[in-house]
């Protein structure tokens, strides 16, 4: 082995963990024969083959066996634990699991499967849903933490995540896994996988295998973890349930034309458990009874791969992926909302009118005038929707050698479908209005048999309400060869082309016009774009210690024109124990197909996630602090104060692309053979950032953003404009820290400690050009998480994964801590309730045994010390704890068994 290879082996303990072998663009290197003792592979972000530990770019690699050792059961667990990720937990998101590197938004993280793109999730059309990726087929997950890849796409501003499947498998393998929480309720998980294959490419000239993976999780109700959202806890946060009065409840609250103060004939009792006693003689819906801590979901994936060695220098591969997932998302029972401007009225002729024959107590002051009722239809329980996604991909890959050139070509056909159904508890709004008018429906109690029959007649349960599809068709080709000798080795060049077409279609079906509860109407949006790209890369081993890599990518978007983005990186090893590395790049991201071509409706398309005071009709309160205003005379407090307000989202025809500049600078040190450390500083600047404004921005300064409050002629609020916009910019920077220490081998086994963390030094938002920059390190951000959520991005000052592992003989064990530092709460409450959210640091423990023939057993405890999720006063988290960043399950036990035939 030559001197260069010998030097590199000194970095093997750590850098082997962070190397990546993307199945991207294969490249020959003239020095390969001289370095046969060490395999040269493709490295993330590069088309040039090199030694696995020669990379100049910061990369994190997580092997599949690490998922088991860390007690992970889904890719959501993987993404939530990644220190460089600010991902939201998918517990309450029909869109599924996504990843948000650097906190820059899910649309800026590029997800690949074996080095190539998938069709994006079908509604937002801007990112891949990880739930459809075949978990059991994975060999490793690799994360390029350096953004704006010249090889994979200049839109990867936050970074690249590549899911790499195993290349072949022989035999039959069955795995079963069960996770059960220690406390009663739901949240238990089940997994079953079957993998089978035959053949070896090296031995037989062909190989083929397939795997099927099933996983599901049951619903965990909020009442099963009632201590996390108790009245006492919410009151201590400044968000008591009795903050407001009236609103939709069962029994219903009511007003009259002459008296806009809400009343309730059962205000003294309020029919527990459906409602609780509110303020001012009213009832409020019991959120603990209807709340969902974790939604029910299910994932089924299939992956098959076959490869044929056509000749010594020519291999052809086919792979097919099909992932299917669904989430049952639940919300409060259907409400008797207005239909075409006509409120739900209970006439005096109804037997359910207070004091009539139905037995509803009389209310003093009523003289037969119609009652406007705000009623929650409790008889069917939760209003639930089923959000189903199916993602398929067929890939053909041909690679080989032609003369002095290595080449690689691929064709990818991807299809992503998403359907939404009314699962349970939804009714036609006009039917509710008519049923109240006729006396068929009782708004003050559970229905009699006639009422139940009537509800069944106006139910829409089981009907599809939305149908969406995205497609991706891509063709890529690259070729590479060595060029000429340099002091450090042979220079190499890679040239490539990438052509792909993306389409989107999103249909909200006509039935949505009849189900007014969701405040959504039928719509249609569709669009397409073609992208043509050329890229080149040159690898220059200037000396035996200095390597420079130059790359450039030229993209042409059929709808947004041309952009050229270069990238340069270096690796310098001045001594045996120190290596420096760095890179610089520019990025360009066009609006997603949804942002540019999604539905556009003239009115409201939904409601705010949190409750707010209308700043015009419920004035006088503390800006941003809900429930502190007072309704103007003539307006019902429960309709304009402390209420979910109408908002408009959808596409925006005036959007323009966003641009970025970024760089990294790092050092890897190995002071001893047992200890390796790396420190990488990263810095990203963006302008014209595409995002939604978080809801609190509107209410903290409503005068400044008055133009975004669109009002009807009578002054009532039509909607808040919450469509995607080009905001001002983003400045983000931090330091990635990694360290590995292997203890000297002893009679007690092999011990190892690993730390992987990120320290955030800057995270500044500028909402609009020319405005001030706002520091958001360690607090809720001033920009939202892309088009998937109106919640602000959470930016931890420090986040890490700490692993303590042990192995001896057939036994292994690992303790893992996932740590998120404390940060400032939203604090849109009275000042005496301002607070910080405590750090969250659960530990997981797993023990593995492989002493039985053909069998591997793993037992794990998740959240060993039963750490409670951190509580928050954020108005969007109705259960008082941070459901987007922590699990409410508590301590859980995990048993996994794998048998290989």
């Amino acid at each position: 082995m030559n001197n260069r290879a010998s030097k590199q082996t000194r970095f093997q303990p750590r850098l082997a963990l962070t190397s990546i072998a993307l199945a991207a663009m294969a490249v020959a290197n003239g020095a390969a024969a001289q370095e046969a003792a060490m395999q040269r592979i493709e490295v993330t972000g590069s088309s040039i083959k090199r030694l696995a530990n020669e990379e100049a770019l910061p990369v994190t690699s997580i092997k599949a066996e690490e998922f088991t050792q860390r007690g992970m059961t889904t890719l959501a667990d993987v993404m939530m634990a990644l220190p460089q990720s600010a991902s939201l937990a998918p517990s309450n998101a029909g869109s599924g699991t996504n990843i948000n590197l650097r906190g820059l938004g899910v649309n800026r993280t590029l997800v690949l499967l074996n080095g190539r793109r998938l069709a994006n999730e079908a509604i937002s059309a801007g990112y891949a849903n990880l739930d459809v990726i075949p978990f059991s087929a994975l060999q490793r997950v690799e994360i390029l933490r350096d953004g704006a890849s010249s090889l994979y796409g200049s839109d990867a501003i936050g970074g690249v995540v590549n899911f790499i499947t195993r290349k072949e498998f022989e035999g039959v393998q069955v795995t079963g896994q069960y996770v059960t929480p220690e406390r009663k309720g739901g949240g238990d998980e089940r997994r079953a996988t079957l993998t089978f294959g035959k053949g070896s490419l090296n031995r037989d000239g062909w190989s083929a295998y397939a795997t099927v993976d099933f996983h599901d999780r049951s619903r965990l109700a909020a009442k099963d973890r009632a201590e996390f959202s108790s009245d006492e806890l919410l009151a201590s946060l400044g968000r008591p349930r009795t903050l407001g009065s009236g609103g939709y409840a069962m029994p219903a609250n009511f007003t009259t034309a002459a008296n806009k103060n809400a009343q309730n004939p059962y205000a003294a009792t309020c029919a527990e458990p459906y409602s609780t006693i509110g303020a001012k003689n009213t009832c409020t819906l019991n959120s603990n009874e209807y709340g969902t801590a974790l939604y029910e979901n299910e994932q089924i994936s299939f992956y098959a791969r076959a490869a044929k060695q056509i000749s010594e220098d020519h291999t052809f591969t086919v792979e097919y992926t099909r992932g299917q997932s669904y989430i049952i998302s639940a919300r409060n029972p259907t409400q008797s909302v207005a239909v075409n401007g006509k409120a739900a009225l209970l006439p005096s002729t109804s037997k359910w009118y207070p004091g009539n024959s139905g037995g509803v107590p009389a209310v003093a002051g009523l003289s037969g005038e119609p009652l406007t009722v705000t009623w929650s239809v409790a008889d069917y329980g939760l209003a639930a929707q089923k959000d189903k996604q199916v993602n398929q991909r067929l890939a053909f890959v041909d690679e080989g050698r032609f003369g002095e050139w290595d080449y690689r070509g691929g064709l990818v056909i991807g299809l992503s479908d998403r359907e939404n159904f009314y699962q349970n508890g939804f009714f036609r709004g006009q039917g509710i209005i008519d049923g109240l008018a006729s006396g068929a429906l009782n708004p003050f109690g559970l229905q009699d048999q006639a009422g139940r029959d009537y509800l069944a007649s106006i139910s829409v349960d089981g009907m599809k309400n939305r149908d969406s599809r995205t497609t991706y068709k891509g063709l890529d080709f690259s070729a590479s060869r060595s060029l000429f000798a340099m002091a450090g080795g042979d220079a190499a060049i890679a040239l490539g082309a990438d052509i792909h077409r993306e389409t989107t279609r999103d249909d909200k079906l006509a039935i949505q016009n009849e189900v007014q509860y969701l405040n959504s109407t039928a719509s249609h949006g569709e669009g397409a774009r073609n992208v043509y790209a050329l890229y080149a890369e040159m690898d220059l081993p200037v000396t035996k210690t200095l390597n420079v890599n130059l790359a450039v990518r030229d993209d042409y978007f059929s709808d947004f024109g041309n952009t050229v983005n270069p990238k340069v990186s270096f690796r310098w090893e001045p001594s045996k124990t120190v290596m420096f590395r760095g890179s610089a790049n520019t990025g360009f991201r066009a609006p997603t197909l949804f942002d540019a071509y999604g539905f556009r409706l003239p009115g409201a398309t939904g409601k705010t996630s949190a409750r707010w005071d209308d700043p015009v009709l419920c004035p006088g309160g503390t800006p941003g602090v809900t429930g502190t205003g007072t309704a103007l005379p003539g307006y019902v407090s429960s309709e304009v104060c402390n209420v979910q307000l109408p908002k408009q989202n959808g596409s925006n025809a005036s959007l323009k692309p966003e641009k970025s500049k970024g760089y990294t600078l790092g050092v890897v040190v190995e002071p001893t053979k047992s200890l390796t450390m790396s420190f990488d500083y990263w810095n990203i600047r963006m302008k014209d950032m595409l995002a939604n404004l978080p809801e609190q921005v509107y209410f903290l300064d409503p005068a400044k953003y008055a133009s975004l409050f669109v009002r009807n002629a009578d002054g009532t609020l039509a909607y808040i404009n919450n469509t995607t916009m080009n905001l001002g910019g983003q400045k983000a920077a931090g330091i990635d820290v990694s360290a590995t220490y292997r203890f000297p081998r002893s009679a007690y086994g092999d011990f190892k400690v690993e730390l992987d963390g990120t320290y955030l030094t800057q995270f500044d938002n500028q909402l609009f050009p020319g405005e001030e920059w706002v520091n958001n390190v360690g607090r809720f951000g001033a920009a939202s998480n892309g088009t998937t959520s109106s919640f602000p991005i959470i930016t931890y000052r420090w986040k890490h994964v700490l692993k303590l592992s042990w192995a001896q003989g057939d036994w292994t064990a690992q303790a893992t801590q996932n740590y998120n530092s404390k940060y400032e709460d939203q604090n849109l409450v009275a000042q005496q309730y301002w607070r910080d959210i405590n750090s969250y640091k659960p530990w997981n423990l797993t023990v593995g045994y492989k002493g039985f023939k053909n069998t591997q057993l793993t037992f794990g405890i998740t959240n060993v010390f039963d750490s409670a999720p951190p509580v928050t006063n954020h108005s969007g988290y109705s259960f008082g704890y941070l459901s987007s960043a922590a699990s409410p399950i508590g301590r859980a036990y995990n048993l996994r068994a794998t048998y290989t035939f």
Side-chain angles (χ1 to χ4, degrees), residues 341-354:
K342 296 181 179 180
L345 295 178
L346 186 74
S348 61
T349 55
S350 171
K351 69 177 182 179
W352 307 113
Y353 194 91

Side-chain angles (χ1 to χ4, degrees), residues 654-888:
S654 62
L655 296 177
K656 59 183 179 180
E658 62 186 17
K659 298 180 180 180
S660 71
K661 294 181 180 180
Y663 67 90
T664 65
L665 185 62
V667 59
V668 182
V669 295
E670 189 185 63
T672 69
K673 292 183 178 179
S674 300
L675 175 63
T676 305
M677 298 179 292
S678 68
F679 304 88
D680 290 283
Y681 175 78
W682 55 272
N683 188 299
I684 300 172
R685 298 287 186 267
M686 294 167 50
K687 66 178 182 178
D688 299 323
M689 185 173 69
L690 294 159
N692 306 87
L693 286 174
E695 292 177 2
Q696 74 269 17
V697 170
Y698 297 84
F699 299 95
L700 284 170
D701 196 345
K704 182 176 181 179
Y705 300 106
S707 63
L708 299 176
F709 289 83
V710 180
R711 298 191 175 273
N712 300 310
D714 61 359
T716 57
L717 183 64
Y719 58 86
I720 298 167
N721 183 353
N722 194 231
T723 55
T724 304
M725 308 173 188
N726 280 111
L727 303 183
Q730 174 85 63
K731 298 177 181 178
I735 302 172
D736 292 337
V737 179
S738 295
T740 300
Y741 181 74
R742 297 177 182 272
F743 289 87
R745 178 165 295 181
S746 70
Y748 301 102
D750 297 329
F751 295 86
K752 184 172 65 173
V753 179
E754 296 176 87
L755 175 70
D756 189 12
T758 294
Y759 182 83
L760 201 62
T761 61
Q762 183 181 38
F763 200 87
D764 294 348
N765 285 116
Q766 183 188 55
L767 290 183
F768 292 99
E771 293 187 357
E772 70 279 3
W773 290 87
V774 179
N775 175 24
N776 291 297
V777 175
R779 58 186 299 190
F780 283 95
S784 68
N785 194 1
T787 55
T788 62
S789 171
S790 60
F791 286 167
I793 293 171
I794 298 171
T795 50
Y796 303 102
R797 172 70 77 176
W798 170 255
K799 185 175 181 178
H800 77 235
V801 175
L802 175 64
K803 296 179 290 185
L804 312 174
S805 58
W806 166 80
Q808 185 173 39
D810 293 325
W811 290 92
T812 60
Q814 182 167 293
T816 306
Q817 182 195 58
N818 299 313
Y819 180 90
N820 298 333
S821 62
K822 73 175 184 178
Y823 55 101
E824 182 182 316
D825 210 343
Q826 189 187 37
N827 290 335
L828 296 183
V829 291
Q831 189 168 355
Q832 64 264 33
Y833 298 108
W834 288 5
R835 57 188 297 282
D836 287 337
I837 295 176
N838 292 329
S839 60
Y840 186 56
K841 40 185 178 293
W843 283 88
N844 300 333
L845 176 66
T846 59
V847 177
Y849 180 70
K850 54 182 179 180
F852 300 119
K853 184 179 180 181
N854 300 332
T855 303
Q856 292 184 350
L857 299 175
T858 304
F859 173 74
I861 304 176
T862 304
N863 197 352
V864 174
F865 301 107
D866 200 21
S867 300
V871 297
T872 177
N873 59 34
H874 189 290
S875 53
Y877 294 89
S878 56
F879 305 120
Y881 63 87
L882 205 60
S883 59
S884 65
S887 171

Side-chain angles (χ1 to χ4, degrees), residues 411-484:
L411 171 65
V412 171
I413 303 171
L415 181 67
S416 176
D417 289 302
R418 182 172 175 182
E419 299 172 299
N420 194 278
F421 301 85
Y422 297 120
Q423 181 82 358
N424 177 77
F426 285 97
F427 307 93
R428 290 178 168 88
Q430 187 62 50
I432 293 175
I433 298 271
D434 295 344
L436 290 169
S438 68
L441 295 177
N442 173 17
F444 297 116
L446 298 177
Q447 307 305 305
D448 59 14
Q449 186 59 49
R452 290 192 292 271
D453 291 343
Y454 181 82
L455 284 176
S457 73
I458 62 172
S459 170
V460 296
D461 290 352
M463 296 185 66
K464 183 193 296 188
N465 62 65
R466 193 168 187 174
D467 187 282
S468 308
R469 168 173 284 188
T470 61
T471 67
Y472 176 90
K473 297 177 182 177
L475 181 66
D476 63 76
F477 181 83
S478 71
S480 59
R481 59 164 294 169
S482 59
L483 287 179
F484 49 83

Side-chain angles (χ1 to χ4, degrees), residues 576-592:
K576 298 178 180 179
T577 59
V578 178
M579 182 184 77
F580 295 96
R581 62 188 177 192
S583 67
N585 62 71
T586 65
F588 175 98
R589 189 176 76 87
T592 69

